[in-house]
Amino acid sequence: FGILKNPTHKKTAYNSVCGDEVTVQLSVKNDVVKDVKFSGSGCVISMVASSMLTDKIKGMTISEIKKLKAEQILDLLKIKLNLARVKCALLGFEAVRGAVK
């Protein structure tokens, strides 16, 4: 959690249903994520999932990140979510995908 001083990629994602907001910042060099931070506010699920996602993508290439599937992100949580909470869990992923588009 935090803010990068000089991100090369940045995107904010919103969940209009509940008001959660996550901004993801990446520092990419030679196509590899050297550092990643997220900031925002929301429910525990959106914050925890975003944190776990930043750990997962650090060191990955942009092409590897683009191949990630939503199911892989949901699997990080190791809990079952109802449909209303899936959007929360994927909010950081939505921001990352937008940032590397």
Side-chain angles (χ1 to χ4, degrees):
F1 191 88
I3 297 173
L4 292 178
K5 289 186 181 185
N6 296 305
T8 56
H9 298 70
K10 178 180 175 180
K11 182 69 177 174
T12 300
Y14 303 95
N15 185 342
S16 60
V17 174
C18 66
D20 289 4
E21 175 183 326
V22 172
T23 299
V24 174
Q25 298 177 324
L26 306 169
S27 177
V28 178
K29 186 173 182 180
N30 298 326
D31 198 46
V32 176
V33 175
K34 297 297 182 182
D35 201 3
V36 56
K37 299 269 186 189
F38 80 97
S39 60
S41 61
C43 68
V44 170
I45 291 173
S46 66
M47 296 295 105
V48 168
S50 295
S51 179
M52 295 174 88
L53 176 62
T54 59
D55 286 343
K56 180 170 183 64
I57 67 171
K58 191 172 182 177
M60 291 179 78
T61 65
I62 297 297
S63 59
E64 289 172 329
I65 291 170
K66 288 179 177 181
K67 291 178 186 174
L68 286 173
K69 304 289 185 213
E71 295 78 26
Q72 293 172 277
I73 308 311
L74 295 173
D75 287 345
L76 292 173
L77 292 172
K78 299 187 187 321
I79 60 171
K80 290 240 182 211
L81 298 172
N82 65 36
L83 288 177
R85 303 304 267 175
V86 169
K87 173 74 173 170
C88 299
L90 294 176
L91 195 60
F93 183 53
E94 180 183 330
V96 167
R97 291 183 100 186
V100 299
K101 206 172 205 185

